[in-house]
């Protein structure tokens, strides 16, 4: 059992926002369960966090695969009762609609939307028993606006917004907080293979997002920041 009474699960933890969020939550006293598909990146992050004197566990998982999510839940249950789930795993593939493939569509819906459904469904019953808990859905400004050349990505994020809103209203009676986060462009490896015409150095940093998200998570008592849009002051590119 972890020394900390606060146990958090972060999917897509091995890089980008997930990596920064994992570090920040550990600094705030959580035992973080880091989940991702990349074993090498995950283990490297876990070792780095432990070297800094914090608690964490690493579990290889594919959120789009139901059996993998089942295994993730079984392993995490042996660590402790998860009171915070951060659905962060995400995938973006951008192209003109006529050049989009069914495989690209399925991959984005599978990770971005189906994965959050599978993970949340698995952890909600324990939160209901405890009459407390927090679900965080790392969405995007694309969950509020239909950007071009990203039909599948936008559809998955609009769906994720609908999922979070439905769960929020369903779980109010159980004292479970549901937070939907909609960041603008963030300078992560997400953009490495994407041809963009705006400077990455003007994007938000993962650390900025992590600080804002943890602030929302730590909202006291019965208060909850339900929808959090985070942009640079100058707005979208």
């Amino acid at each position: 059992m972890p020394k900390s009474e606060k146990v958090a699960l972060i999917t897509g933890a091995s890089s980008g926002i997930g990596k920064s969020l994992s570090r920040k939550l550990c600094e705030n006293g959580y035992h973080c369960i880091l989940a991702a598909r990349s074993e090498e990146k995950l283990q490297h992050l876990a070792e780095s966090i432990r070297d800094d004197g914090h608690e964490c566990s690493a579990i290889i998982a594919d959120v789009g695969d139901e059996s993998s999510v089942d295994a993730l839940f079984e392993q995490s249950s042996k660590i402790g009762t998860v009171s915070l789930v951060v659905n962060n795993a995400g995938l973006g593939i951008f192209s003109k609609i006529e050049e989009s493939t069914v495989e690209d569509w399925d991959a984005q819906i599978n990770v971005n939307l189906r994965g959050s459904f599978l993970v949340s469904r698995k952890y909600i019953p324990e939160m209901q028993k405890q009459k407390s808990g927090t679900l965080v859905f790392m969405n995007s400004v694309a969950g509020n606006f239909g950007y071009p050349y990203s039909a599948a990505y936008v559809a998955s994020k609009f769906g994720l917004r609908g999922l979070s809103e439905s769960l929020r209203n369903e779980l109010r009676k159980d004292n479970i907080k549901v937070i939907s986060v909609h960041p603008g462009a963030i300078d992560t490896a997400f953009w490495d293979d994407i041809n963009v015409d705006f400077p990455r150095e003007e994007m938000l940093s993962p650390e900025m997002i992590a600080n804002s998200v943890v602030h929302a998570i730590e909202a006291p008592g019965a208060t909850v920041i339900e929808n959090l849009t985070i942009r640079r002051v100058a707005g979208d590119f």
Side-chain angles (χ1 to χ4, degrees), residues 25-87:
L25 286 169
C26 285
E27 291 170 3
N28 280 44
Y30 282 86
H31 178 108
C32 287
I33 299 172
L34 317 173
R37 290 182 292 184
S38 174
E39 182 173 5
E40 183 178 354
K41 290 182 180 179
L42 204 59
Q43 293 299 339
H44 185 268
L45 174 61
E47 290 172 7
S48 177
I49 288 174
R50 292 180 189 128
D51 287 343
D52 289 337
H54 304 298
E55 288 189 359
C56 68
S57 303
I59 301 175
I60 307 303
D62 179 353
V63 299
D65 182 271
E66 185 175 4
S67 61
S68 182
V69 172
D70 289 345
L72 170 63
F73 178 78
E74 292 301 321
Q75 293 179 66
S76 64
S77 296
K78 296 175 183 177
I79 297 167
T81 299
V82 173
S83 61
L84 167 64
V85 171
V86 181
N87 287 293

Side-chain angles (χ1 to χ4, degrees), residues 19 21 26 44-45 48 54 60 79 94 107 112 127 135 143-144 147 155 174 178 186 194 199 224-225 228:
K19 184 176 180 179
L21 263 174
C26 285
H44 185 268
L45 174 61
S48 177
H54 304 298
I60 307 303
I79 297 167
F94 305 101
N112 300 350
M127 292 183 181
L135 293 169
N144 291 318
Y147 293 91
D174 299 303
V178 178
I186 307 165
I194 301 172
V224 58
I225 299 173
L228 178 62

Side-chain angles (χ1 to χ4, degrees), residues 84-102:
L84 167 64
V85 171
V86 181
N87 287 293
N88 172 70
L91 172 67
I93 303 170
F94 305 101
S95 63
K96 295 179 180 178
I97 187 62
E98 66 270 21
E99 297 172 357
S100 301
T101 67
V102 173

Side-chain angles (χ1 to χ4, degrees), residues 176-195:
I176 296 172
K177 301 180 181 183
V178 178
I179 302 170
S180 187
V181 184
H182 298 258
I186 307 165
D187 186 17
T188 69
F190 181 92
W191 299 99
D192 286 353
D193 299 320
I194 301 172
N195 183 26

Side-chain angles (χ1 to χ4, degrees), residues 70-158:
D70 289 345
L72 170 63
F73 178 78
E74 292 301 321
Q75 293 179 66
S76 64
S77 296
K78 296 175 183 177
I79 297 167
T81 299
V82 173
S83 61
L84 167 64
V85 171
V86 181
N87 287 293
N88 172 70
L91 172 67
I93 303 170
F94 305 101
S95 63
K96 295 179 180 178
I97 187 62
E98 66 270 21
E99 297 172 357
S100 301
T101 67
V102 173
E103 290 76 18
D104 288 347
W105 172 278
D106 288 345
Q108 291 172 91
I109 298 296
N110 193 49
V111 174
N112 300 350
L113 182 55
R114 186 174 189 263
S116 291
F117 158 71
L118 290 174
V119 171
S120 299
R121 183 184 65 162
K122 201 68 184 178
Y123 286 87
I124 284 171
E126 189 61 36
M127 292 183 181
Q128 290 174 314
K129 290 179 185 177
Q130 302 294 324
K131 285 295 179 181
S132 67
T134 302
L135 293 169
V136 177
F137 294 88
M138 293 304 303
N139 201 305
S140 165
V141 289
N144 291 318
F145 181 83
Y147 293 91
Y149 312 115
S150 50
Y153 184 74
V154 166
S156 71
K157 294 300 187 178
F158 265 69

